[in-house]
Amino acid sequence: MKNIWTIIKKELKRVFTDRRVIFSLFVLPPLTIYLIYGLMGMSAERENERVEEYTSIVYVINSPETIDNNGEVAPGFMDYLVDNKPIKTNLNTADASELEDLRDKLENQEIDLIIEFPSNFETKAINNETLGVNLIYNINRTYSQNAYLNYSSTLQNYETEIAGTRVDLDLLEVFDLSIDPVGDEEKAKGSILGMILPLLLVIYLMAGAMGIGIESIAGEKERGTIATLLVTPIKRSQLAIGKIISIAIIAVLSSIASFLGLLAVLPQFAKIGGEEGAIETASYALIDYGMILGIMLTTVLFFVALIVIVSTYAKSIKEAGTLIMPLYLIVMGAAFFNMFTQNVSKEFINYLIPIYNVVVALKAVFSFDLSITNWLITLGSTIIYTVLLIFLIQKMFRSEKVMFNK
Amino acid sequence: MLKVENITKIYRLSKKQMRLENTNESKKIAANKVSFDVKPGEIFGLLGPNGAGKTTTLRCISTLIKPDEGDVLIGKDRISVIRDDDKARGSLSFLTSELKLEDHFTPNYLFNFFGNLHGLDDETIERNKKKLFEKFGIDEFAEVKVSQLSTGMKQKASIAISLVHDPDIIIFDEPTNGLDVLTARTVTDYLEELRNEGKTIVVSTHIMTLAAKLCDRIGIIIDGKIRKVGSLKEILSETETDDLEDAFFKIFKKAKEEDGGVI
Ligand SMILES: Nc1ncnc2c1ncn2[C@@H]1O[C@H](COP(=O)(O)OP(=O)(O)OP(=O)(O)O)[C@@H](O)[C@H]1O
Ligand SMILES: [Mg+2]
């Protein structure tokens, strides 16, 4: 135990007293993230401006006329909108018979929103019935989403106008707003954050562990400094564990630095996801953070073990770099593949596949969709894989073929 | 006390190594039943040409590699270096120019670091440090990073650090390799001093004059086999020569005849 600690202290000292290494591990990654996503945020802002410039095409079916209930008057919907349009709108009324036609147009992105009131709205309103109002929009179209969001709050304001005309004033709830999104629902599930964060986290973890992992073992082999350690009474297994732990510590710190860079840029970043993105970041519960942390920690150990194997096997830094590339590509591949498959997986088999399970699980957490069982499967399987890898590493450290294969 | 018994080490060559070595054999017998004894207070020299198996033999003794056959026993308790390697490493030291110090640290830091790995308390480390640093003049550059030291300084630091645990048995592969006369002299003088303290010392070399001057007994190794063991005097009289180089050539020629090879 004491020997392991001695090794860890030395490894940490090496990293934290080298300005170049500190820069490349803890400064450069967050800085690049800040710059890249800052730029993305800027372009999102420009996109927002474009949305504001746009004139939405809205159709209203069974648009309510003026309601006059013994002197309590509520304006007709069209009249109400004259002064209360939330966004630039090309406003039209339509008959219930045209609904199917309009839905097709909505799907083809020719129009942006249909507001469907029930027929005989006026009498029903006075008679205290709760009125189903349906908002039909296309979730795959930004303009359409924007129109839906704005008009649903306008409708809530309009609701208070109508409530005043009611016989029973306690029944303030006039509308039962329902939405009917048109388009590919899967495509819109999960916020942009949920899509990108798992990818970034996994890549940072890997990248953080890679450089230092190669340096710390293949580098020592190349420079002949590891042999000096091998003639001391330290057990090979202690040396291996000491190396693994110190690399893991540095990798975690480095990915935290990257993560902070991401947080710094998040306010701008949220603009990409629109209001929804902002809502989701705000409402992650403690348990979600716990889940993310658990996955991060086990993952970093697993990655470190993978990297240490490659680094131990290689004769030189250059060889380790070459050998590690396919591994890096597999990790990136798993992350990207997952980013573009939209639905959150529930099948437990996905939570057993090494590397892939981590990406799937992270994605599920960010979409509030990870069950405790699947979380435990992810952690458990990753820990088991890591333990197996560590056994292999200890075996390699004991093999003279591996340690003296110059 | 050091007893080497019938050490045999066979390397299995990869296709690439076979091509590089220009051979059809997939096995290389680098050490072939190597046996010798070294007593406390004695310097034993393993003398042989390039590729004779010196480094291989010394690595087997210092637990870095495992021989295919044979055993190495050390100390009064006759600890087997093969079966009890973690323990054996506590009482021996392996020095070579191939064992490097990490560039990023200072000799002072590394001395403490290795002292800790040997399980020494701070007091012992400081005491041994004072002695060794003074001996090799390391105090002047004790706080300079290894990357900024000259080859000779690095070698001195490396020797001092390898001796941090004051081992009874010292194995030194090519002790003067890459050193100028002055530094080489410091090193050989110190080895003699250690011998006088009663340490058991094995060195390897291909330099005849060094073997003749430094070693109490010499083992001549050629193609993995020990061909002759004895003091300089014994070797000279047995080969009827009056200089180690002549003796070596005689033994070399005879070895090649025995092995059926050509010179
Ligand atoms: N790891 C290895 N794999 C395969 N063959 C090896 C290996 N190490 C050494 N050999 C071979 O074993 C033989 C003995 O090598 P060794 O290094 O022990 O010789 P040496 O006496 O130390 O030579 P030198 O004076 O050049 O240092 C050589 O033929 C060498 O090529
Ligand atoms: Mg050698």
Side-chain angles (χ1 to χ4, degrees):
Chain A
M1 212 49 227
K2 204 169 146 259
N3 281 341
I4 296 178
W5 178 230
T6 308
I7 297 285
I8 294 174
K9 268 195 312 201
K10 186 206 66 175
E11 294 290 324
L12 294 184
K13 186 179 158 85
R14 185 165 59 87
V15 166
F16 287 105
T17 53
D18 190 332
R19 243 177 282 149
R20 228 182 32 215
V21 178
I22 292 179
F23 183 76
S24 72
L25 275 177
F26 305 108
V27 180
L28 200 57
L31 203 66
T32 37
I33 289 161
Y34 188 82
L35 291 178
I36 290 174
Y37 293 101
L39 284 178
M40 268 176 77
M42 260 160 65
S43 74
E45 207 157 358
R46 216 167 297 140
E47 164 90 14
N48 278 357
E49 276 164 22
R50 225 181 51 210
V51 172
E52 275 163 30
E53 288 300 304
Y54 176 79
T55 307
S56 303
I57 306 173
V58 177
Y59 277 82
V60 185
I61 293 178
N62 294 325
S63 177
E65 300 293 335
T66 313
I67 300 173
D68 185 347
N69 185 12
N70 298 324
E72 295 290 347
V73 182
F77 189 52
M78 284 298 161
D79 299 334
Y80 176 75
L81 284 184
V82 171
D83 288 330
N84 295 298
K85 259 187 229 150
I87 50 173
K88 286 189 193 166
T89 313
N90 170 355
L91 202 57
N92 308 276
T93 53
D95 203 66
S97 59
E98 293 170 68
L99 183 60
E100 283 314 305
D101 247 14
L102 289 173
R103 282 187 80 101
D104 286 344
K105 282 188 176 167
L106 191 63
E107 203 139 5
N108 295 333
Q109 314 204 343
E110 288 165 31
I111 65 173
D112 300 302
L113 180 69
I114 306 170
I115 305 172
E116 186 193 7
F117 288 92
S119 55
N120 297 326
F121 179 89
E122 300 82 358
T123 28
K124 285 176 184 166
I126 299 170
N127 292 335
N128 297 334
E129 285 177 48
T130 302
L131 302 166
V133 177
N134 201 10
L135 288 165
I136 310 169
Y137 70 103
N138 187 334
I139 48 174
N140 297 334
R141 184 167 153 88
T142 321
Y143 296 138
S144 185
Q145 280 193 3
N146 187 49
Y148 147 67
L149 283 171
N150 282 293
Y151 271 95
S152 62
S153 53
T154 304
L155 276 167
Q156 276 159 16
N157 294 335
Y158 183 56
E159 185 177 27
T160 56
E161 301 267 342
I162 300 209
T165 69
R166 296 200 136 186
V167 177
D168 185 347
L169 283 176
D170 287 341
L171 284 177
L172 283 174
E173 184 101 5
V174 182
F175 292 165
D176 182 12
L177 276 187
S178 65
I179 50 167
D180 184 0
V182 171
D184 185 0
E185 193 156 356
E186 297 288 278
K187 224 167 158 184
K189 232 189 206 171
S191 67
I192 294 212
L193 281 183
M195 272 166 59
I196 289 181
L197 271 186
L199 171 83
L200 292 176
L201 271 182
V202 165
I203 291 175
Y204 297 153
L205 284 178
M206 180 79 186
M210 231 165 59
I212 199 72
I214 290 177
E215 178 62 26
S216 146
I217 300 179
E220 282 218 42
K221 271 173 86 176
E222 179 177 317
R223 293 186 295 269
T225 51
I226 205 151
T228 319
L229 282 168
L230 296 179
V231 291
T232 66
I234 185 172
K235 287 202 171 60
R236 300 283 163 99
S237 54
Q238 292 175 330
L239 180 58
I241 300 281
K243 287 278 185 187
I244 293 170
I245 295 177
S246 48
I247 295 166
I249 292 175
I250 292 158
V252 168
L253 290 179
S254 166
S255 56
I256 288 175
S258 305
F259 198 67
L260 290 179
L262 195 61
L263 282 185
V265 86
L266 212 54
Q268 265 160 296
F269 191 41
K271 285 177 197 154
I272 307 171
E275 279 181 40
E276 279 169 295
I279 292 164
E280 294 212 6
T281 39
S283 59
Y284 284 120
L286 209 57
I287 177 145
D288 297 314
Y289 285 112
M291 280 179 157
I292 295 170
L293 196 68
I295 296 172
M296 268 180 68
L297 288 180
T298 44
T299 305
V300 80
L301 277 174
F302 176 68
F303 282 171
V304 165
L306 276 177
I307 290 163
V308 166
I309 287 195
V310 172
S311 184
T312 310
Y313 176 80
K315 299 174 189 68
S316 64
I317 293 180
K318 202 166 141 228
E319 192 186 351
T322 316
L323 290 175
I324 218 151
M325 262 307 134
L327 207 64
Y328 192 49
L329 290 180
I330 289 172
V331 170
M332 296 258 283
F336 270 112
F337 176 70
N338 197 267
M339 179 173 157
F340 292 114
T341 50
Q342 300 285 333
N343 48 331
V344 168
S345 172
K346 293 252 166 35
E347 294 154 52
F348 90 104
I349 183 81
N350 281 327
Y351 294 88
L352 278 174
I353 307 168
I355 300 176
Y356 186 69
N357 61 354
V358 169
V359 196
V360 177
L362 278 178
K363 180 167 181 147
V365 184
F366 286 117
S367 314
F368 303 101
D369 225 359
L370 182 62
S371 66
I372 293 284
T373 322
N374 283 340
W375 181 64
L376 287 175
I377 292 174
T378 309
L379 288 201
S381 59
T382 308
I383 289 171
I384 290 171
Y385 300 138
T386 310
V387 169
L388 291 178
L389 290 180
I390 290 177
F391 270 114
L392 183 62
I393 292 168
Q394 296 194 357
K395 219 175 137 72
M396 290 172 84
F397 264 71
R398 262 177 257 133
S399 155
E400 67 191 54
K401 273 217 184 62
V402 173
M403 300 313 277
F404 287 95
N405 57 358
K406 272 207 175 161
Chain B
M1 203 275 321
L2 173 76
K3 192 170 176 62
V4 180
E5 290 176 338
N6 285 317
I7 287 281
T8 300
K9 179 70 192 178
I10 302 169
Y11 290 118
R12 277 152 205 65
L13 302 182
S14 64
K15 291 257 154 58
K16 195 175 149 202
Q17 280 174 313
M18 282 164 68
R19 227 182 17 252
L20 286 175
E21 304 252 330
N22 204 3
T23 170
N24 292 324
E25 302 281 329
S26 65
K27 288 178 182 173
K28 166 84 197 178
I29 307 177
N32 194 344
K33 296 197 185 335
V34 172
S35 300
F36 58 86
D37 293 339
V38 190
K39 285 188 280 294
E42 187 174 68
I43 299 180
F44 183 87
L46 210 49
L47 178 68
N50 291 133
K54 303 182 294 291
T55 301
T56 302
T57 305
L58 296 191
R59 279 183 177 174
C60 285
I61 299 172
S62 39
T63 77
L64 277 173
I65 59 177
K66 287 222 183 317
D68 297 87
E69 273 171 46
D71 204 350
V72 179
L73 304 170
I74 59 170
K76 283 197 207 75
D77 314 331
R78 302 190 145 239
I79 300 167
S80 165
V81 154
I82 316 294
R83 287 186 298 278
D84 212 356
D85 56 341
D86 287 334
K87 194 169 170 204
R89 281 196 280 266
S91 50
L92 59 78
S93 174
F94 182 49
L95 295 99
T96 146
S97 52
E98 281 170 44
L99 297 185
K100 299 270 168 45
L101 299 176
E102 274 186 81
D103 273 353
H104 188 71
F105 297 107
T106 64
N108 186 33
Y109 178 86
L110 287 169
F111 195 91
N112 294 343
F113 170 71
F114 282 98
N116 287 331
L117 285 188
H118 276 285
L120 306 179
D121 56 52
D122 292 349
E123 209 181 304
T124 317
I125 294 176
E126 284 307 318
R127 198 174 52 237
N128 294 351
K129 189 195 288 175
K130 192 163 179 292
K131 194 176 113 192
L132 286 160
F133 276 22
E134 206 176 280
K135 177 63 58 190
F136 290 101
I138 295 172
D139 286 317
E140 291 164 44
F141 54 87
E143 295 298 345
V144 180
K145 279 189 185 174
V146 170
S147 56
Q148 288 162 21
L149 301 181
S150 72
T151 312
M153 286 163 156
K154 279 182 193 166
Q155 185 76 332
K156 283 179 185 171
S158 174
I159 293 168
I161 288 165
S162 299
L163 298 174
V164 57
H165 55 306
D166 193 21
D168 291 330
I169 294 162
I170 294 154
I171 319 289
F172 208 147
D173 198 9
E174 311 270 2
T176 57
N177 201 9
L179 302 181
D180 65 30
V181 257
L182 291 171
T183 320
R185 190 57 177 259
T186 320
V187 172
T188 53
D189 282 355
Y190 190 62
L191 284 174
E192 283 174 352
E193 202 173 304
L194 288 170
R195 167 187 55 198
N196 300 339
E197 283 174 21
K199 308 280 187 199
T200 309
I201 301 169
V202 183
V203 299
S204 84
T205 184
H206 52 90
I207 306 164
M208 307 291 159
T209 47
L210 180 71
K213 194 153 178 286
L214 182 68
C215 303
D216 303 303
R217 281 164 67 243
I218 297 167
I220 292 177
I221 184 170
I222 295 164
D223 279 345
K225 284 188 200 162
I226 298 268
R227 309 290 172 156
K228 190 146 241 100
V229 183
S231 65
L232 179 62
K233 229 167 154 188
E234 285 162 0
I235 290 175
L236 293 183
S237 74
E238 277 174 43
T239 52
E240 295 169 351
T241 50
D242 46 21
D243 134 338
L244 187 56
E245 196 170 313
D246 293 343
F248 176 79
F249 276 113
K250 256 191 167 166
I251 293 164
F252 186 77
K253 221 164 150 186
K254 189 155 160 259
K256 288 292 170 183
E257 279 164 14
E258 276 170 13
D259 293 354
V262 276
I263 303 168

